[in-house]
């Protein structure tokens, strides 16, 4: 072996040794980190409560950690371990945990049928009806001292109530609302005035000026988009559904509950009041197309991160998203140095097209609380988990959670952060709207076809024709959707009968052990719904035939 070969061989050996050393070092470092984390979590002298959620938005984990730290000061024998899981895998992850019996003590409710469907909810999570009627001890010294826990929420804790089960199964921690984020600097450059559009006509005009500015200003090259949305067309068009269709309530709302149910909406379509040919329906979809024309071509393919990136970099005049994205959006604007103002999506004003169809703005006060947590039924630490939820939804705890995360609080008396004041629910306006998605099958057609129309791939007539075909399909259309609702209503009655039987048995063995209030509510609902006969009666009246069985 010559000198060059020996040097080359030594170099290769040295590189191999270095690689092995680095690999061993990495493994040892990883092992040390794992051991450190395990020791930090598994403290034998403390009771450990695990809490999982999918909220990875800016500030939320820090906010939850702050609340946990304050709680642990009050209870030094307890530690709360926060387990954030990305929403892309939360469904599969929580399903696995629930089925295997290893779910965290406290779980954010949603994303999974094992959480959302009644038959699984009662299997995996504890009912809270007996707890929510007690005062929250952490509200001592506040105006809510002595008030029932459920009455301390702005929504009356409806965000945690299951109507079909007549009980509470989760505790909401925040409220959500949608707003229009406005880049005031860009609006001023395009229009000459830093003014928020007050009507839909003004909004369309500003969007046209922004597009012209983008195309004609040297160095921009058309990259600026008037409107971007974090979730496709929905955040742009959904604020207009109530204003356009609330006037239909007097014709559709048969049970006078202030809402238009699936069967009531279907009846309106069959009777022609809300059919595809009705002027108000065509006006709604035409107006929504004009708004979506102000978005980028193929907007349905833009995801949440891309939309926020475009707006935060000053490449969009308006952003459609909700309160949960506010903190990150404001941070991006601060870095780029432009001003944001918030507004509701403006309605057609007097003298503008479509104004005659508008009832008024949508009411947000009827919205239910969100970010709800439930307690896993098999946890041996039920009392401790419930106690932490009480602290989390006390005036102090809920204010801390939502001020740090910049989300709207749900507990009465909890003050929002400055940027959240504009997101607090507005109690003025209407609540009822037409339901276009008549059942899951028609809803799937609606989702696909409406996007094709709103992106300019189909005409309004083509879209509505395809929708009508789906609605009138004898096997999967409106009749099927009505039967599906009837079948679910019938099953709900069976579940409620089981609930009543259980409560009666418990009362025989332990008098006073269950809620008589829940028992009375359940019996009343059973009598009123009469095994779904109310649905059957409504269907037979407007269809002129018996309810089909699928």
């Amino acid at each position: 072996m010559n000198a060059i070969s020996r040097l080359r061989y030594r170099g290769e050996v040295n590189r191999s040794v270095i690689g092995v050393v680095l690999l061993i070092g990495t493994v040892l470092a990883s092992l040390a980190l794992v051991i450190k984390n395990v020791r930090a979590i598994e403290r034998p002298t403390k009771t450990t409560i695990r809490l999982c959620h999918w909220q990875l938005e800016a500030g939320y984990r820090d906010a939850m950690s702050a609340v946990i730290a304050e709680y642990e000061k009050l209870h030094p024998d307890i530690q709360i371990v926060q387990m954030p899981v990305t929403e892309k895998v939360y469904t599969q992850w929580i399903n696995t945990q629930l089925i295997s019996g290893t779910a965290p003590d406290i779980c954010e409710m949603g994303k999974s049928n094992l959480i959302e469907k009644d038959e699984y909810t009662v299997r995996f999570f504890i009912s809270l009806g007996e707890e929510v009627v007690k005062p929250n001890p952490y509200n001592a010294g506040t105006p809510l001292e002595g008030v029932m826990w459920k009455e301390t929420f702005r929504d009356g804790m409806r965000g945690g109530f299951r109507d079909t089960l007549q009980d509470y199964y989760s505790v909401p921690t925040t409220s959500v609302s949608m707003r229009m984020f406005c880049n005031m600097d860009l609006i001023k450059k395009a229009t000459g005035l830093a003014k928020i559009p007050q009507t839909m006509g003004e909004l369309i005009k500003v969007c046209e000026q922004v597009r012209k500015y983008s195309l004609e200003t040297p160095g921009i090259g058309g990259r600026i988009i008037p409107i971007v949305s974090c979730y496709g067309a929905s955040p742009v068009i959904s604020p207009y559904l109530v204003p356009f269709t609330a006037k239909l309530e007097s014709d559709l709302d048969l049970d006078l509950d202030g809402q238009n149910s699936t069967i009531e909406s279907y009846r309106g379509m069959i009777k022609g009041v809300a059919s595809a040919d009705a002027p108000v329906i065509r006006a709604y979809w035409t107006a929504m197309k004009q708004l979506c024309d102000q978005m980028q071509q193929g907007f349905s393919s833009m995801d949440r991160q891309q939309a926020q990136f475009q707006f935060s970099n000053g490449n969009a005049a308006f952003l459609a998203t909700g309160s949960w994205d506010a903190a990150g959006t404001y941070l991006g604007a601060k870095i780029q140095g432009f001003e944001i103002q918030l507004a509701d999506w403006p309605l057609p004003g007097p003298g503008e097209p479509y104004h005659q169809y508008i009832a008024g703005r949508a009411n947000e006060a009827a919205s239910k609380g969100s970010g709800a947590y439930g307690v896993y039924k098999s946890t041996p630490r039920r009392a401790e988990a419930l106690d932490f939820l009480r602290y989390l939804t006390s005036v102090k705890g809920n204010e801390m959670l939502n001020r740090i995360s910049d989300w709207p609080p749900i507990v009465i008396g909890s003050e929002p952060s400055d940027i959240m004041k504009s997101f607090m629910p507005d109690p003025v306006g209407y609540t009822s709207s037409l339901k276009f998605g008549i059942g899951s099958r028609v809803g799937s057609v609606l989702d696909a076809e409406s996007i094709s129309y709103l992106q300019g791939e189909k005409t309004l007539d083509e879209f509505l024709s395809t929708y009508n075909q789906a609605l009138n399909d004898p096997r999967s259309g409106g009749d099927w959707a009505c039967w599906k609702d009837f079948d679910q209503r019938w099953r709900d009655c069976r579940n409620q009968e089981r609930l009543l039987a259980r409560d009666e048995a418990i009362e025989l063995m332990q008098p006073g052990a269950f809620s008589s209030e829940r028992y009375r509510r359940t019996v009343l609902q059973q009598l009123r719904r009469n095994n779904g006969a109310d649905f059957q009666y409504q269907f037979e009246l407007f269809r002129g035939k018996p309810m089909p069985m699928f």
Side-chain angles (χ1 to χ4, degrees), residues 25-47:
T26 302
V27 171
L28 291 175
S30 300
L31 183 60
L33 183 61
V34 169
I35 293 172
K36 177 183 177 182
N37 290 337
V38 168
R39 286 180 175 175
I41 293 174
E42 297 179 356
R43 297 177 185 172
T45 60
K46 294 193 175 187
T47 299

Side-chain angles (χ1 to χ4, degrees), residues 15-30:
R15 282 194 294 271
S16 299
V17 171
I18 292 171
V20 171
V21 171
L22 288 175
L23 178 61
I24 294 173
T26 302
V27 171
L28 291 175
S30 300

Side-chain angles (χ1 to χ4, degrees), residues 187-350:
I187 292 172
K188 184 175 182 180
K189 290 176 183 176
T191 67
L193 294 173
K195 180 184 176 184
I196 296 174
Q198 301 300 306
T199 67
M200 183 185 286
E202 291 181 10
L203 175 61
I204 298 295
K205 183 178 179 180
V206 170
C207 288
E208 291 172 348
Q209 290 174 304
V210 168
R211 196 177 297 278
K212 181 179 179 182
Y213 168 80
S214 176
L215 292 171
E216 296 180 357
T217 303
I220 295 181
R223 72 171 181 272
I224 293 177
I225 306 166
I227 299 175
V228 292
S229 168
C230 284
Y231 305 94
S234 179
V236 177
I237 70 175
S238 58
Y240 292 95
L241 185 58
V242 169
F244 268 87
T245 63
K247 287 183 178 180
L248 299 174
E249 181 183 343
S250 58
D251 294 313
L252 303 184
D253 186 16
L254 297 180
D255 58 7
L256 304 179
D257 66 349
Q259 299 292 329
N260 298 324
S261 66
T262 295
I263 195 169
E264 289 170 337
S265 295
Y266 182 46
R267 171 182 171 273
M269 294 173 184
I270 295 297
K271 292 291 186 181
V273 177
S275 68
D277 295 325
V280 64
I281 303 305
R282 297 185 69 87
Y284 169 75
W285 286 110
T286 303
M288 297 306 98
K289 176 66 166 60
Q290 290 182 354
L291 281 176
C292 290
D293 283 346
Q294 310 308 319
M295 300 169 72
Q296 79 280 7
Q297 201 168 22
F299 60 80
S300 63
S301 62
M302 177 178 282
D303 62 22
R304 176 183 175 188
Q305 287 75 23
Q306 290 172 326
Q308 281 192 300
F309 180 81
Q310 287 276 30
F311 184 80
S312 296
N313 280 277
N315 291 327
F318 303 100
L319 171 67
T321 192
S323 50
W324 54 91
D325 282 327
T329 304
Y330 270 92
L331 178 61
K334 183 178 180 180
I335 293 172
Q336 294 297 323
F338 64 86
E339 178 191 0
I340 289 180
Q341 288 190 24
L342 298 175
D344 293 321
W345 289 87
L347 303 176

Side-chain angles (χ1 to χ4, degrees), residues 410-457:
I410 189 67
V411 173
I412 298 169
S414 296
E415 291 296 322
S417 63
D418 289 340
I419 67 173
M420 281 295 109
K421 290 178 180 178
S422 297
F423 283 98
M424 295 304 291
D426 190 330
V428 177
Y430 295 79
T431 57
S432 67
S433 63
L434 181 71
K435 286 183 171 58
F436 285 104
I438 307 296
S440 58
R441 298 178 182 179
V442 175
S444 296
V445 173
L446 172 69
D447 292 342
E449 297 298 318
S450 63
I451 288 298
S452 294
Y453 161 66
L454 294 172
Q455 291 189 150
E457 299 162 6

